[in-house]
Amino acid sequence: QVQLVESGGGLVQAGDSLRLSCAASIRTFSWYTLAWFRQAPGNEREVVAGIKWSGSSTNYADSVKGRFTISRDNAKNTVHLQMNSLKPEDTAVYYCAVSRGVGLATTPGEFDYWGQGTQVTVSS
């Protein structure tokens, strides 16, 4: 059953912006972590940004700090990733994921639910 659905990917030029969205059909609890991962061909899946469903705890990959912002809309069970100043190296499939753990999860093995991914391509 599909429980996380990503949207907002596309083809853009370097320097442009995109806003990704992830709609969750599962019930989310305050201690859950919602995160964005990405994976480029031949590379390992890496965390881009994560946020707790309640509170202000967040984490970002060093490569996106200052450019990307993760946010949530608790009423709509939705998490967003605002991506500014996009670079060609940001090109990847972006995945939404949810961890049921009590800590701020950051690695793929800690996540229990995954979306199918949305392609982001940044041209030079």
Side-chain angles (χ1 to χ4, degrees), residues 19-24 26 28 34 36 51-54 70-81:
R19 186 177 188 243
L20 305 184
S21 297
C22 173
I26 60 172
T28 50
L34 294 91
W36 290 95
I51 188 170
K52 281 288 188 178
W53 197 238
S54 180
I70 188 170
S71 62
R72 62 176 189 259
D73 186 333
N74 297 61
K76 296 182 178 180
N77 259 21
T78 302
V79 62
H80 304 283
L81 184 68

Side-chain angles (χ1 to χ4, degrees), residues 37-109:
F37 287 79
R38 67 185 182 187
Q39 187 167 23
N43 292 353
E44 295 182 348
R45 188 169 298 187
E46 62 176 353
V47 66
V48 177
I51 188 170
K52 281 288 188 178
W53 197 238
S54 180
S56 58
S57 296
T58 59
N59 72 282
Y60 293 93
D62 289 341
S63 60
V64 307
K65 287 180 179 178
R67 299 189 297 121
F68 291 9
T69 302
I70 188 170
S71 62
R72 62 176 189 259
D73 186 333
N74 297 61
K76 296 182 178 180
N77 259 21
T78 302
V79 62
H80 304 283
L81 184 68
Q82 179 66 45
M83 305 186 294
N84 298 327
S85 302
L86 283 163
K87 305 175 181 180
E89 49 263 46
D90 295 318
T91 296
V93 177
Y94 284 70
Y95 298 90
C96 177
V98 174
S99 171
R100 297 178 295 177
V102 297
L104 183 63
T106 58
T107 62

